[in-house]
């Protein structure tokens, strides 16, 4: 076991343990803050996979954007700590069926995929390749995603805006 | 730097720790000198003397303060959320510490020479926001919560003009690596990006006014991001006691202070790298003239620290000169003025760089 393995298991443990607490804890604020460590762990795993740009984007978008928004939402909600959040079991049969199928699918993907096991050549940076591919091979999807985000932005602004009566 | 320590010791763990210690020492020194300078500068501006008892010219005042801080009792309210309360200062400090990892003090004195350095520094500052929100919530105090909400809203708003100006600079330089951006602006001060960057084409002279606009936008928005006056409404002492760290004392409070002064240096460093050549000397290197090659790195570190402290001095100067903005003024400055100007600037710089 070399240092990379140790680091990988460290990040994996951070990710899994904090994800577990996100689901099980009864305090919404704790869930939100545990999510921070989940995102951090995932970013660490990306770094170990030599995907530096993706790791930074992970932190930028999820920690800097979504998590902060989530925290704002939770904190601005009135009486969040006094409400008993319902986290008991309901619809046991259908829920376990659905999650069972989903988990089976994921596990089968894990088992039956033809993984590349020989070490890949390590790239020092992925930005140039990523940028070139985004603006040549995948330019259509890139532009479509941009339009999608723009629509979401305009929609959010128009919902938030109060019309004068 | 990692490679240097690895060659020196031949041990992965020791060299990793050594690389991590360098930014930590940097932050400590920055905070010690920063607090002293803040007191002296504010004293000069208000026609006072400032600290002058501890050591010559009061130089050891902050050291004495630091020792005092370490041995203070950790007095806490009983109504706090103890776990989050203890994690929050660490998280805020970790964000600052992480950003120091990618700042090049000279060509080789840099914690980690990552290609995405600039983007990385913008990203890890979000840990600071999360830490501030955590501190405000855990303190279970109206002032703290209000202060942390204001801080978070302010930081994430002003990240947008900063990011747009950074984007225009990245478009011009074609790289996200802070070392490479500094290397492009080598030799003399007319190669700095505030003077249009290297080369002598027509585009250089066309760029100068837009570079100045970009510099002003990024300077204002980084000033707001580190919560300094005139943008210090998160810790406005006349309305919110001390904002999100009202309930903190002793070592934990010291960590917030370390993070604040560390952030001041980090944003000054970014501004100086983007527009003022980073660690590059403005007049060519003495080491080159004399033929002494080991002098060059020392000169680079000296210039970098000098530029960083120059911008910190301007931040302090503004703090003791300007009154505080209101919340609505703050938001309208960001969304109605800085962001549109930054976007127009981005487009114009893009067109010029195509010429």
């Amino acid at each position: 076991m070399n240092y990379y393995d140790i680091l990988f298991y460290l990040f994996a443990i951070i990710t899994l343990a904090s994800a577990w607490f996100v689901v099980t804890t009864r305090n919404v604020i704790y869930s939100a803050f545990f999510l921070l460590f989940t995102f951090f762990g995932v970013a660490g795993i990306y770094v170990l996979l030599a995907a530096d740009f993706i790791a930074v984007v992970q932190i930028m978008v999820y920690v800097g954007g979504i998590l902060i928004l989530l925290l704002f939402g939770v904190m601005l909600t009135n009486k969040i700590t006094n409400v008993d959040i319902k986290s008991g079991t309901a619809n046991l049969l259908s829920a376990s069926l659905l999650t069972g199928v989903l988990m089976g699918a994921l596990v089968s993907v894990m088992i039956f995929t033809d993984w590349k096991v020989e070490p890949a050549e390590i790239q020092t940076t992925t930005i140039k390749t990523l940028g070139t591919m985004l603006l040549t091979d995948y330019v259509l999807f890139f532009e479509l995603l941009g339009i999608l985000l723009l629509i979401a932005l305009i929609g959010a602004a128009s919902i938030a805006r109060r019309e004068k009566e | 730097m990692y490679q240097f320590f690895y060659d020196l010791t031949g041990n992965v763990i020791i060299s990793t720790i050594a690389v991590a210690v360098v930014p930590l020492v940097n932050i400590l020194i920055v905070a010690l000198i920063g607090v002293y300078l803040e007191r002296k500068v504010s004293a000069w501006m208000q026609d006072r003397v400032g600290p002058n008892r501890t050591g010559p010219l009061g130089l050891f005042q902050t050291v004495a303060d630091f020792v005092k801080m370490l041995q203070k009792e950790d007095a806490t309210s009983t109504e706090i959320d103890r776990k989050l309360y203890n994690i929050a200062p660490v998280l805020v400090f970790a964000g600052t510490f992480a950003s120091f990892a990618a700042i090049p003090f000279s060509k080789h004195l840099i914690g980690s020479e990552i290609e995405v350095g600039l983007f990385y520094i913008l990203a890890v500052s979000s840990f600071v926001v999360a830490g501030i929100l955590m501190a405000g919530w855990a303190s279970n105090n109206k002032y703290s919560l209000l202060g942390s909400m204001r801080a978070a809203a302010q930081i994430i708003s002003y990240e947008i003009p900063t990011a747009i100006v950074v984007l225009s600079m990245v478009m011009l330089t074609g790289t996200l690596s802070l070392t490479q951006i500094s290397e492009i602006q080598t030799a003399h001060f007319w190669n700095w990006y505030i003077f249009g960057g290297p080369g002598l084409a027509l585009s250089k002279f066309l760029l100068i006014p837009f570079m100045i606009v970009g510099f002003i936008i990024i300077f204002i928005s980084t000033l707001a991001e580190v919560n300094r006056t005139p943008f210090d409404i998160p810790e406005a002492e006349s309305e919110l006691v001390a904002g999100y760290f009202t309930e903190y004392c002793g070592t934990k409070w010291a960590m917030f202070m370390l993070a604040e002064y560390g952030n001041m240096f980090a944003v000054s460093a970014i501004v100086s790298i983007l527009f003022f050549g980073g660690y590059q000397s403005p007049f060519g290197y003495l080491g080159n003239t004399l033929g002494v090659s080991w002098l060059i790195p020392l000169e680079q570190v000296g210039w970098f620290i000098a530029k960083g402290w120059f911008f910190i001095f301007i931040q302090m100067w503004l703090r003791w000169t300007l009154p505080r903005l209101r919340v609505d003024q703050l938001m309208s400055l960001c969304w109605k003025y800085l962001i549109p100007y930054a976007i127009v600037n981005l487009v114009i710089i893009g067109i010029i760089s195509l010429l």
Side-chain angles (χ1 to χ4, degrees):
Chain A
M1 211 152 116
N2 60 19
Y3 298 109
Y4 277 94
D5 288 342
I6 296 172
L7 279 177
F8 171 77
Y9 284 115
L10 188 73
F11 281 120
I13 288 169
I14 290 176
T15 312
L16 288 179
S18 55
W20 171 259
F21 283 120
V22 169
V23 184
T24 54
T25 183
R26 285 182 162 264
N27 191 331
V28 187
I29 284 283
Y30 282 8
S31 290
F33 282 122
F34 274 122
L35 206 55
L36 171 77
F37 294 100
T38 314
F39 292 147
F40 173 73
V42 174
I45 290 173
Y46 281 139
V47 171
L48 290 180
L49 288 173
D52 50 354
F53 188 73
I54 307 285
V56 177
V57 169
Q58 163 85 13
I59 292 178
M60 187 91 183
V61 172
Y62 284 97
V63 178
I66 290 173
L67 184 79
I68 303 292
L69 206 68
L70 212 72
L71 283 173
F72 262 93
V74 171
M75 285 184 179
L76 290 176
T77 312
N78 227 354
K79 289 181 185 169
I80 195 86
T81 43
N82 303 333
V83 179
D84 234 6
I85 301 147
K86 194 180 179 189
S87 57
T89 42
N91 298 333
L92 201 63
L93 184 71
S94 53
S96 52
L97 214 67
L98 199 67
T99 47
V101 168
L102 193 66
M103 190 177 167
L106 285 175
V107 169
S108 67
V109 165
M110 245 159 72
I111 294 171
F112 296 115
T113 307
D114 190 16
W115 298 106
K116 288 181 182 171
V117 282
E118 69 268 25
E121 49 180 306
I122 293 173
Q123 288 180 316
T124 47
T125 175
T126 53
I127 321 168
K128 288 225 161 68
T129 338
L130 254 177
T132 317
M133 280 174 86
L134 273 183
L135 287 179
T136 51
D137 294 354
Y138 301 101
V139 68
L140 181 67
F141 303 104
F142 184 67
E143 297 289 337
L144 280 178
L145 275 177
I147 292 170
L148 184 72
L149 284 176
L150 185 69
I151 292 169
L153 211 73
I154 294 171
S158 79
I159 290 171
R161 189 173 156 205
R162 213 166 276 155
E163 290 291 334
K164 277 177 192 153
E165 309 260 323
Chain B
M1 204 164 67
Y2 174 80
Q3 199 57 44
F4 170 75
F5 280 116
Y6 187 71
D7 293 342
L8 203 68
T9 60
N11 187 319
V12 178
I13 295 176
I14 292 177
S15 37
T16 309
I17 292 172
V19 169
V21 162
V22 173
L24 191 66
V25 173
N26 274 332
I27 296 179
L28 279 174
I29 293 172
V30 163
L32 279 182
I33 301 174
V35 175
Y36 171 74
L37 204 67
E38 178 104 73
R39 286 176 174 162
K40 274 294 186 192
V41 170
S42 69
W44 292 331
M45 303 243 166
Q46 296 166 350
D47 211 5
R48 292 186 284 117
V49 181
N52 64 347
R53 297 290 152 152
T54 325
L57 294 169
L59 267 172
F60 299 126
Q61 183 66 49
T62 39
V63 181
D65 273 346
F66 190 66
V67 173
K68 181 196 79 176
M69 210 90 78
L70 283 182
Q71 50 184 344
K72 260 191 172 177
E73 184 197 347
D74 187 22
T76 52
S77 153
T78 50
E79 295 296 312
I80 53 169
D81 191 330
R82 198 160 293 278
K83 289 179 205 123
L84 294 183
Y85 179 87
N86 288 334
I87 298 172
V90 181
L91 198 61
V92 171
F93 183 72
T96 311
F97 180 50
S99 68
F100 265 70
I103 295 177
F105 278 74
S106 81
K107 194 176 177 186
H108 299 294
L109 189 58
I110 172 171
S112 172
E113 218 168 307
I114 43 175
E115 280 291 314
V116 287
L118 200 49
F119 194 32
Y120 164 82
I121 290 180
L122 289 182
V124 289
S125 70
S126 50
F127 282 110
V128 178
V129 187
I132 286 173
L133 279 173
M134 198 188 265
W137 177 264
S139 297
N140 200 2
N141 173 330
K142 281 177 201 137
Y143 297 128
S144 299
L145 189 59
L146 273 176
S148 72
M149 292 298 232
R150 283 183 180 186
Q154 177 176 329
I155 294 173
I156 54 178
S157 308
Y158 277 88
E159 243 171 33
I160 300 169
T162 313
I164 295 173
V165 174
V166 165
L167 183 63
S168 58
M169 296 312 291
V170 169
M171 226 161 54
L172 212 56
T173 55
T175 173
L176 278 167
S177 153
L178 289 167
T179 324
Q180 282 177 29
I181 294 176
S182 309
E183 278 303 305
I184 292 171
Q185 310 173 58
T186 187
H188 292 90
F189 62 86
W190 54 79
N191 286 339
W192 291 355
Y193 271 109
I194 192 83
F195 299 114
L200 260 178
L202 175 69
S203 59
K204 177 184 167 79
F205 298 101
L206 284 176
L207 270 177
I208 293 174
F210 303 106
M211 283 292 131
I212 291 170
V213 171
F215 163 66
I216 291 170
I217 291 172
I218 201 174
F219 188 76
I220 293 173
S221 42
T222 53
L223 198 63
E225 272 191 63
V226 292
N227 297 336
R228 302 278 299 176
T229 325
F231 306 105
D232 73 335
I233 53 156
E235 45 198 84
E237 63 270 16
S238 47
E239 32 188 301
L240 286 181
V241 191
Y244 53 88
F245 49 78
T246 307
E247 293 288 337
Y248 283 87
C249 71
T251 324
K252 287 171 196 158
W253 184 83
M255 288 184 95
F256 280 117
M257 273 294 126
L258 276 181
E260 183 180 334
Y261 281 88
N263 274 334
M264 277 167 69
F265 190 83
V267 297
S268 306
I270 292 173
V271 169
S272 77
I273 289 166
L274 283 181
F275 290 98
F276 293 89
Y279 52 75
Q280 302 287 1
S281 157
F283 314 113
Y285 291 108
L286 200 65
N288 278 337
T289 330
L290 298 176
V292 198
S293 60
W294 55 264
L295 206 60
I296 297 175
L298 292 179
E299 280 182 73
Q300 289 183 336
V301 174
W303 278 113
F304 188 77
I305 291 174
K307 285 172 193 172
W309 281 107
F310 176 71
F311 286 110
I312 290 185
F313 173 71
I314 295 183
Q315 289 179 358
M316 289 175 178
W317 182 5
L318 289 173
R319 172 170 182 179
W320 298 102
T321 315
L322 297 175
R324 184 181 300 139
L325 265 73
R326 276 201 325 263
V327 184
D328 58 321
Q329 289 171 336
L330 186 90
M331 286 298 153
S332 67
L333 174 70
C334 178
W335 291 96
K336 289 186 184 164
Y337 298 96
L338 291 184
I339 293 178
Y341 289 158
I343 290 175
V344 171
N345 209 38
L346 171 77
V347 173
I348 294 174
I349 290 176
I351 292 170
I352 294 176
S353 70
L354 282 179
L355 288 179

